[in-house]
């Protein structure tokens, strides 16, 4: 997943660019460049055949000046501590850019959930919570789903935490199933929030979305809902999608739900009827108006960014571009809507979930959608204004908005 690029070094380079523009003092730079706390541990888990496997896990609390740390847990075979650090940093900037009263954190376990049974996954999930319960709570650090972790996994984790605390504590984790204190609108929130900022970007760039073509890389939660909502909410034509096994193209447009049903039965979008086969990489280089990277990190680099033909890249994946890619895209006039702005809809509705858990009163879906739109629209326009003020690309502009907010909280607390 990291390949030759170190995501945490990239996150620090991105931060440094904003720190320069904001003229941050050295003390603030020292505090904000590194995570505040890290927990590293090993989890012994009994597998179905009775042997015990030992999994390595992490929880990184990057910064909690603005509120409890917030961020998902990933189960991935190529997880590394530096990826978790980068993701925890991006969560800090993400909660700040949408201006919700939370900090940033992230967790991960090195494992391959695709090769584990349901029982093994449950035992791993419960073991993870038994380890992090010493630092996780509704008022200190609140996990959520991320790559290969699901509402069911959130339910097991909440149950384990409540057994330890001997009280109901639904606010300890978000992205739960609806029947256990989840929020209406959480499941498609990442993609929906992305559509709100895409709508604003199109307005700013005079792009008629009803005539726009879209290619989506990745067909997990974010990618599938992006393909579905780009058509339903904005009237775009989705001409290509992909997953790690390959991509498909159909110029008259794809039906996201039919593709999802095909993936559910075959394991991949590949081979969907009436489509041409392309590669996962080609999806980002197609002659379309909008690309939506929704898979892993570092997919656009100095090697391929020059081949991007789209006008807009909506980054639903975390960390899809290397700094070299940013430079090339910016020079070529491609507007990239940076990850921690574009995909902030997920954590925004997680925050709504926590608010509902704390008050024990639940909102209807229309209310969630409306409040999400308000947050995302304001965030996009704050970042656009910063890009004009600082004469910089949207990523550095988003950093300027977010870092200034966190720096203010850190300073007011007297940490520097
Ligand atoms: N894992 C998601 C993200 O990267 C959601 C985090 C959350 O809801 O706390 O933004």
């Amino acid at each position: 997943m990291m390949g030759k690029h170190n995501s945490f070094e990239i996150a620090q380079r991105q931060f440094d660019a904003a720190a320069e523009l904001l003229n941050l003092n050295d003390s603030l730079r020292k505090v904000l460049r590194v995570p505040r706390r890290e927990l590293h541990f090993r989890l012994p888990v009994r597998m179905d055949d009775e042997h015990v496997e030992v999994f390595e896990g992490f929880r990184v609390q990057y910064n909690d000046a603005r509120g409890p740390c917030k961020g998902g847990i990933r189960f991935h075979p190529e997880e590394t501590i530096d990826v978790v650090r980068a993701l925890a940093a991006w969560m800090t900037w993400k909660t700040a850019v949408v201006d919700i009263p939370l900090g940033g954190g992230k967790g991960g376990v090195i494992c391959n959930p695709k090769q584990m049974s349901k029982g093994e996954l449950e035992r791993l999930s419960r073991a993870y919570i038994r380890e992090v319960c010493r630092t996780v709570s509704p008022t200190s650090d609140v996990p959520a789903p991320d790559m290969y972790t699901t509402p069911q996994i959130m339910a097991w984790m909440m149950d384990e935490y409540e057994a330890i605390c001997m009280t109901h504590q639904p606010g300890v984790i978000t992205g739960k199933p609806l029947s256990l204190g989840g929020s209406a609108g959480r499941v498609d929130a990442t993609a929906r929030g992305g559509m709100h900022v895409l709508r604003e970007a199109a307005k700013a760039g005079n792009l008629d979305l009803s005539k726009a073509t879209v290619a989506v890389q990745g067909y997990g939660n974010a990618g599938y809902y992006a393909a579905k909502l780009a058509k339903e909410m904005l009237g775009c034509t989705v001409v290509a999608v992909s997953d790690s096994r390959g991509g498909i193209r159909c110029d008259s447009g794809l039906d996201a739900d039919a593709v999802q049903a095909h993936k559910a039965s075959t394991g991949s979008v590949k081979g969907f009827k009436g489509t041409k086969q392309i590669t996962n990489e080609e999806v980002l280089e197609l002659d379309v108006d909008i690309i939506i990277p929704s898979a892993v990190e570092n997919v656009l680099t100095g090697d391929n960014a020059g081949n991007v033909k789209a006008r807009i890249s909506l980054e639903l994946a975390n960390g899809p571009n290397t700094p070299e890619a940013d430079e090339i895209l910016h020079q070529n006039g491609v507007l990239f809507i940076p990850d921690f702005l574009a995909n902030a809809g997920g954590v925004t509705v997680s925050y709504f979930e926590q608010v509902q858990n704390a008050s024990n009163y639940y909102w209807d879906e229309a209310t969630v959608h409306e409040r999400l739109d308000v947050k995302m629209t304001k965030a996009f326009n704050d970042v656009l204004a910063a890009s004009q003020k600082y004469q910089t690309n949207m990523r550095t502009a988003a950093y300027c908005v977010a870092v200034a907010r966190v720096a203010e909280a850190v300073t007011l607390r007297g940490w520097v």
Side-chain angles (χ1 to χ4, degrees), residues 70-72 91 94 106 142 144-146 174 186 318 343 346-347 350:
K70 186 84 193 78
M91 284 309 303
K94 193 180 302 193
K106 204 80 175 198
V142 183
D146 202 283
T174 59
R186 176 66 183 86
N318 288 312
N343 69 27
V347 76
S350 275

Side-chain angles (χ1 to χ4, degrees), residues 290-336:
I290 299 159
I291 52 171
I292 310 187
S294 311
V296 291
E297 304 90 68
N298 302 323
V299 291
L300 286 174
T301 66
D303 296 336
N304 63 352
N307 302 335
V308 170
K309 297 174 194 70
R311 282 177 60 184
I312 296 180
S313 174
L314 178 73
E315 300 177 359
L316 292 187
N318 288 312
N321 292 10
T322 64
E324 294 72 32
D326 277 2
E327 211 155 289
I328 294 168
L329 293 178
H330 188 61
Q331 262 168 23
N332 291 351
V334 181
L335 178 82
F336 47 87

Side-chain angles (χ1 to χ4, degrees), residues 27-85:
S27 311
L28 274 168
R29 290 184 201 213
K30 276 189 207 151
V31 170
L32 296 177
R33 274 188 113 240
V34 287
R36 185 84 197 252
R37 285 175 218 102
E38 291 182 359
L39 197 57
H40 295 225
F41 44 85
R42 294 192 171 75
L43 303 169
V45 174
R46 190 163 306 278
M47 308 304 275
D48 290 347
D49 67 1
E50 294 291 319
H51 89 281
V52 169
E53 200 60 65
V54 178
F55 295 96
E56 211 175 329
F58 316 101
R59 183 75 190 169
V60 174
Q61 298 179 341
Y62 195 87
N63 188 289
D64 55 4
R66 289 171 44 88
C69 293
K70 186 84 193 78
I73 301 167
R74 308 207 311 176
F75 284 179
H76 200 282
E78 286 161 44
E79 195 67 297
T80 70
I81 183 62
D82 274 334
V83 173
V84 181
R85 286 178 181 137

Side-chain angles (χ1 to χ4, degrees), residues 240-243 245-249 268-271 275-280 283:
V241 301
S242 69
D243 58 34
R245 298 195 203 165
I248 54 175
R249 175 176 189 163
S268 171
V269 300
K270 255 173 66 180
T275 61
K276 271 200 282 203
Q277 192 170 320
I278 53 175
T279 66
N280 191 24
V283 168

Side-chain angles (χ1 to χ4, degrees), residues 70-337:
K70 186 84 193 78
I73 301 167
R74 308 207 311 176
F75 284 179
H76 200 282
E78 286 161 44
E79 195 67 297
T80 70
I81 183 62
D82 274 334
V83 173
V84 181
R85 286 178 181 137
L87 291 162
W90 290 327
M91 284 309 303
T92 305
W93 316 132
K94 193 180 302 193
T95 53
V97 85
V98 282
D99 204 9
I100 55 181
L102 294 168
K106 204 80 175 198
V109 177
I110 306 172
C111 66
N112 189 349
K114 288 184 181 167
Q115 285 168 9
M116 293 170 71
S117 71
K118 195 172 171 191
E120 289 167 346
L121 273 177
E122 176 173 354
R123 292 193 288 281
L124 175 65
S125 304
R126 290 186 184 276
Y128 186 86
I129 284 298
R130 284 197 299 278
E131 201 53 49
V132 300
C133 68
R134 63 194 77 214
T135 53
V136 157
S137 80
T139 52
S140 59
D141 182 6
V142 183
D146 202 283
M147 207 175 270
Y148 299 133
T149 49
T150 59
Q152 173 64 78
I153 289 176
M154 300 303 109
W156 290 325
M157 289 185 168
M158 180 194 77
D159 183 67
E160 190 70 21
Y161 185 80
E162 292 186 341
I164 293 165
C165 298
M166 295 185 292
T167 50
H168 277 279
Q169 299 280 356
V172 71
I173 202 158
T174 59
K176 301 180 291 292
L178 270 181
S179 54
L180 287 179
S183 175
R186 176 66 183 86
V187 71
D188 68 8
T190 303
R192 184 174 294 272
M195 296 305 126
H196 295 317
V197 292
L198 180 56
R199 180 196 65 210
E200 295 303 305
K203 247 190 246 168
N206 279 325
L207 175 68
D208 180 356
L209 286 172
S210 68
K211 297 201 179 79
T213 50
V214 175
V216 181
Q217 185 189 53
Y219 217 67
N221 173 284
Y224 157 58
Y225 281 112
K228 183 174 164 70
L229 297 179
K231 183 172 169 192
E232 287 176 11
M233 290 171 66
L234 306 175
C236 303
T237 306
V238 179
V239 296
V241 301
S242 69
D243 58 34
S244 55
R245 298 195 203 165
I248 54 175
R249 175 176 189 163
C250 172
D251 289 342
S252 59
L254 291 160
D255 174 342
D257 285 319
V259 174
Q260 175 72 350
H262 175 80
K263 180 170 170 137
S265 64
T266 65
S268 171
V269 300
K270 255 173 66 180
F272 181 66
K273 62 177 181 329
T275 61
K276 271 200 282 203
Q277 192 170 320
I278 53 175
T279 66
N280 191 24
E281 291 72 34
E282 276 165 351
V283 168
L284 297 177
E285 299 177 13
L286 293 177
D287 191 10
V288 292
D289 299 301
I290 299 159
I291 52 171
I292 310 187
S294 311
V296 291
E297 304 90 68
N298 302 323
V299 291
L300 286 174
T301 66
D303 296 336
N304 63 352
N307 302 335
V308 170
K309 297 174 194 70
R311 282 177 60 184
I312 296 180
S313 174
L314 178 73
E315 300 177 359
L316 292 187
N318 288 312
N321 292 10
T322 64
E324 294 72 32
D326 277 2
E327 211 155 289
I328 294 168
L329 293 178
H330 188 61
Q331 262 168 23
N332 291 351
V334 181
L335 178 82
F336 47 87
I337 310 177

